Amino acid sequence: MIRLYTGELCIHCHRVRLALAVKAVDAERIKVDPDSPAAELLEQNPYGDVPTLVDRDVTLYEPDIIIEYLDERYPHPPLMPVDPISRAKSRLVVYRMQRDWYADYDRILTSSKSKAQSARRSLRESLTAAAELFEDQQYFLSHELTVMDITILPLLWRLPIAGVELPDEAGAVKKYAEEQFLTNWFKASLTTDELNMAR
């Protein structure tokens, strides 16, 4: 069985757990304290960070690499488009989400009160400005579930605990999120701590 070393609240671990859930791949979840990684994890990953995935003789420990590996190892349903141009565009969207939205989220959690408040405002305004991208399609920028969805959904799930409340102008974002949060695969991806986040 695949082993996944995962943090209970880690947003990047959640992305990998989503990929596993979408593909209905069973994996043993090994809970890790990111501040005190066990010797067992350090034997697999010299950095001792999560997520770390072990599949037989393969050990991977960077979320984008893990997700692409899972997509190739378990090709159905696919998370990446078939043609190279669309694949590149999907990777670029994921990169931008991490560079902009995930960066704001990290600042909310780690910065001083004033900088955290500025990051909340930035994230709220940016998501609101992107609301039209969530309209007219079931998934984010696509009619099919993709790697873009499994990147944005962990962030949207964490907005309440980050103190980010989206305005009515972001109604399409909120509708998209609530619909996806009700799916079996999303529910299966959550840890106990994530389930207990204020909704």
Side-chain angles (χ1 to χ4, degrees):
M1 178 180 281
I2 290 176
R3 283 177 288 153
L4 177 66
Y5 294 87
T6 180
E8 286 288 285
L9 295 173
C10 171
I11 192 169
H12 297 289
C13 293
H14 194 179
R15 292 170 58 209
V16 173
R17 285 187 262 110
L18 272 172
L20 288 165
V22 166
K23 292 176 178 292
V25 175
D26 288 329
E28 178 188 3
R29 294 184 189 177
I30 302 171
K31 182 178 175 180
V32 173
D33 177 358
D35 297 324
S36 181
E40 177 186 356
L41 174 57
L42 290 168
E43 289 175 6
Q44 301 291 341
N45 175 351
Y47 304 105
D49 55 11
V50 290
T52 295
L53 182 132
V54 180
D55 184 10
R56 295 176 293 185
D57 297 329
V58 177
T59 300
L60 302 170
Y61 40 81
E62 200 286 326
D64 291 314
I65 293 173
I66 294 172
I67 291 166
E68 288 209 15
Y69 169 78
L70 290 172
D71 201 36
E72 293 174 358
R73 174 108 159 76
Y74 304 96
H76 300 289
L79 292 174
M80 292 290 285
V82 174
D83 68 281
I85 293 176
S86 296
R87 289 172 74 89
K89 287 181 178 179
S90 293
R91 288 188 179 105
L92 187 59
V93 169
V94 169
Y95 172 78
R96 291 192 63 185
M97 281 193 278
Q98 293 181 35
R99 181 84 181 254
D100 298 333
W101 296 342
Y102 272 53
D104 279 337
Y105 177 73
D106 288 342
R107 283 192 290 274
I108 291 168
L109 299 184
T110 61
S111 299
S112 65
K113 186 175 179 179
S114 62
K115 289 183 179 178
Q117 191 58 34
S118 175
R120 284 188 188 93
R121 184 169 55 254
S122 172
L123 183 54
R124 181 176 60 251
E125 291 175 355
S126 185
L127 285 170
T128 301
E132 65 181 24
L133 302 178
F134 293 83
E135 296 174 353
D136 303 324
Q137 298 175 107
Q138 182 178 359
Y139 300 107
F140 182 55
L141 292 174
S142 176
H143 292 291
E144 297 179 341
L145 182 71
T146 71
V147 68
M148 295 181 289
D149 297 287
I150 67 170
T151 301
I152 195 169
L153 285 169
L155 176 70
L156 297 178
W157 180 259
R158 286 161 171 76
L159 292 184
I161 203 170
V164 176
E165 184 174 349
L166 295 178
D168 292 342
E169 292 85 353
V173 183
K174 294 190 281 187
K175 181 177 182 291
Y176 159 83
E178 293 304 327
E179 287 177 354
Q180 302 310 317
F181 294 162
L182 292 174
T183 61
N184 290 334
W185 51 267
F186 187 86
K187 293 177 183 177
S189 74
L190 296 168
T191 64
T192 301
D193 287 351
E194 286 167 342
L195 275 169
N196 292 333
M197 284 179 172
R199 300 299 312 142

